Structure formats: structure tokens, C-alpha cells
Amino acid sequence: MPTAADITAAVDALSAGKLAILPTETVYGLAADASAPLAVAAIFEAKGRPRFNPLIAHVADLEQAEEIAIFDDRARQLADVFWPGPLTLVLPIRDAGAVCDLARAGLDTVAVRAPGHPLARAVLFAFGRPVVAPSANRSGRPSPTTFADAVEETGDFARAALDGGPCEIGLESTVVALIDQPRLLRPGSVTRDQIEAVIGPLADAQSDAKRSPGRLALHYAPDAPVRINAEAPSEGEAWLPFGEPGPFSLSETGDLREAAANLFRMLREADRTQPAGIAVAPIPAEGLGEAINDRLKRAAGFVG
Ligand code: TXA
Ligand code: MG
């Protein structure tokens, strides 16, 4: 486990305009000072990320979030219930210097989240200002859910890296926009039902590319082609079952939380065997299944 000196090293890297790999409860992030355009540019460079795809500003708490974004009652209610945790809110920007134009891809909105992982929180409280952190994968690849996977993806570009062990959730945060009507831009482990219980009905992102610029068709993809809703593997395919044992089983007991936590790691591990393809069993659509199926559809190259 990282020491206080490791946390200081990560904060120093951010202060120097360099990048740091940070664990969160969802996936590992590649972090930079949100107010520093050169540092933010280095993130886009390291990931090979299209510049029109904005980043999430990570903050220590609601107080820091309210300094950069304009919260209404619904936003405050959601933050009260789900922060710190795996929920990102897209809100009107208040302080355009604190989260630079490049980080927002020029939008007049900002995505903000207070992560729950103790190491991420320690860095954010010590740094005291917003930190942008996309998932630490190269663009289009599965998000890293272990320290080793994060270092393999973008470690060469980071001055500091904190090992927080395997990510508990394993899927990226739920993204909800509160610009006009509340809209689910990216399903995640905070489910649609949980959000609707707090603020009422959510509209879908649909294919409004301007509203959710990061929702590209081919995303989260391993090298091998992915076939979803498969009943069984074909010759040469690696097999990711659900509710059955197997070397790449998402969950032997058919547990959605476990499947979410295992998804990206199993895609990577299956991919390392260089199969002709990767076949994935059907995953039930309810609850957390919405987010798992969203990632699987994109890994397979379908627009969600
Ligand atoms: O769990 C997570 O959210 C992880 C960890 C590291 O915190 N981060 C993450 O970041 O998944 P990233 O960059 O891979 O995904 C950010 C998503 C993208 O789909 C992006 O398009 C969307 O948030 N986004 C960011 N700012 C936005 C904005 N102003 N309006 C609409 N969508 C936005
Ligand atoms: Mg990502």
C-alpha cells in the first residue's frame, strides 16, 4: 500500500504539471491539474484521445465542486446521496479557468465527480484543486482496473503512480447531465433506478453526439473481435461465461456486481491468449446489467 510519501509524490507531480496514475473505486485514472492546459494536453497525447472528448474534473468534495460548477437543487440532491462515489454530474461551468477549455473540449459545461477511493481522496484534498482524470487506458481500449494494467497502458507518460489494488467497481462512473432535462449520458454502477428515485425520470443520451462526445461506437475494445450474447464459443474463440465456471468467467454465481468488477480484466486476460475472437455470454439487462451491456456493445463495435 502507498505511503504518505507516495501521496506527496503524486501531488508534487500534479503541481509540476506532470501526469499521475491514480486509483479510483471505478477504474484507474490518468490525472493532471485541470487548470493547466499543457498538462491536460499531455493527457490527450498519452491516450491518443480525440480533442473533442472532454474530461471529468475530480474534486475532493461538494464544496470544491460548487466552486467550479453551477449546482441546482437536483444536482445537490444527487451529490448528497451518491458522493463521494461513482457518479459524475455534467453542469454549467462556473470557473472556466479552474477547468481549462481543453479539458472541457470548449464546452460551457463541466463534468464533475468526487471519487470515493481513499487514495484518490487523499491526493485531491492535498492538491486542493480540481484534477482531470480520464480512464488510464489508451483511447478506445478497455479501462484499466488493476495497477498493472494501468501502468501497461499509460505508465510511460506518468511521473507518479499509486497502487490502490484492484478497483472495487470495475466500470466507469455513471454520467448524468443536468443541463436541460436530466439525461443519462453513460450508465454505470449507480443505476438508472437509483438516480430516478432521487430526482425523477431520466431521458436517454440517445445518439446525441454533441451532448455526450465521448460515446464513440468502438470503445473499450480488446484486439480480438468481441461477440456478445453468445450461447457458446465457436472454434478458436475465448469464452467469457456468466453464471458458470471457466478461466475467464465473469461471475460463476451470476452476480452482476462481480461481473462488472471482472469485465475489463477478463477481456484483457482473454485477449492475451490471442484468440480468433472473444465470445461473451448474455448478461441480464436489469440494474447494473445496463452498464455492463453498454460496455459490451461498444467493445463489440455497436453504437449503444
Ligand atoms: O469512473 C470514471 O468516471 C473514470 C475515473 C478515472 O474517474 N473516468 C472516466 O473518464 O471514465 P473518461 O474520460 O474515460 O470518460 C469521461 C466521460 C466521457 O464519455 C466524456 O465524453 C464525458 O464523460 N464528458 C466529460 N465532460 C463532459 C461534458 N461537459 N458533457 C458531456 N459529457 C462529458
Ligand atoms: Mg475512458
Side-chain angles (χ1 to χ4, degrees):
M1 264 300 177
T3 61
D6 296 324
I7 291 169
T8 303
V11 173
D12 288 349
L14 297 175
S15 302
K18 302 298 179 190
L19 308 186
I21 288 178
L22 298 183
T24 83
E25 71 278 33
T26 58
V27 301
Y28 275 81
L30 183 64
D33 178 348
S35 69
L38 285 177
V40 175
I43 287 185
F44 283 92
E45 202 69 32
K47 285 181 59 82
R49 179 173 175 120
R51 294 238 178 343
F52 57 78
N53 189 4
L55 305 176
I56 296 172
H58 295 66
V59 294
D61 54 19
L62 179 58
E63 193 182 320
Q64 260 189 30
E66 295 221 35
E67 286 169 15
I68 59 168
I70 300 171
F71 277 65
D72 61 12
D73 288 344
R74 298 169 306 190
R76 232 168 257 128
Q77 282 169 344
L78 289 174
D80 279 343
V81 175
F82 297 110
W83 282 4
L87 177 67
T88 296
L89 301 173
V90 174
L91 301 169
I93 184 75
R94 182 194 294 280
D95 182 347
V99 184
C100 66
D101 275 350
L102 180 58
R104 287 179 286 108
L107 299 173
D108 54 10
T109 58
V110 63
V112 57
R113 113 168 166 96
H117 194 289
L119 287 174
R121 282 170 67 75
V123 169
L124 289 167
F125 274 106
F127 188 63
R129 291 185 290 114
V131 164
V132 282
S135 47
N137 53 288
R138 278 169 290 120
S139 195
R141 306 242 318 137
S143 298
T145 58
T146 67
F147 183 67
D149 288 342
V151 168
E152 181 186 318
E153 288 281 329
T154 52
D156 288 350
F157 300 90
R159 175 172 287 188
L162 291 180
D163 184 350
C167 299
E168 193 185 323
I169 292 171
L171 290 181
E172 306 81 357
S173 61
T174 306
V175 181
V176 172
L178 294 168
I179 299 302
D180 37 40
Q181 53 177 330
R183 205 175 283 277
L184 183 63
L185 297 187
R186 180 172 74 182
S189 69
V190 175
T191 63
R192 177 191 295 274
D193 289 352
Q194 286 177 300
I195 294 164
E196 290 185 338
V198 179
I199 59 164
L202 282 172
D204 272 310
Q206 318 234 285
S207 52
D208 187 344
K210 261 188 129 176
R211 277 215 164 80
S212 51
R215 310 295 284 143
L216 306 174
L218 193 62
H219 216 112
Y220 312 113
D223 291 331
V226 174
R227 187 165 68 86
I228 58 177
N229 294 319
E231 291 306 329
S234 308
E235 177 92 35
E237 277 182 334
W239 174 229
L240 272 59
F242 177 75
E244 287 170 34
F248 308 122
S249 180
L250 293 174
S251 166
E252 291 191 14
T253 58
D255 178 67
L256 287 172
R257 285 211 165 272
E258 188 181 21
N262 283 336
L263 178 65
F264 289 135
R265 187 168 55 86
M266 290 309 176
L267 285 173
R268 283 173 187 279
E269 286 184 7
D271 206 29
R272 285 191 188 111
T273 68
Q274 302 191 316
I278 298 175
V280 187
I283 306 294
E286 68 267 13
L288 195 48
E290 182 179 9
I292 298 172
N293 282 305
D294 169 79
R295 304 308 189 273
L296 281 172
K297 266 193 264 172
R298 287 165 204 277
F302 298 114
V303 189

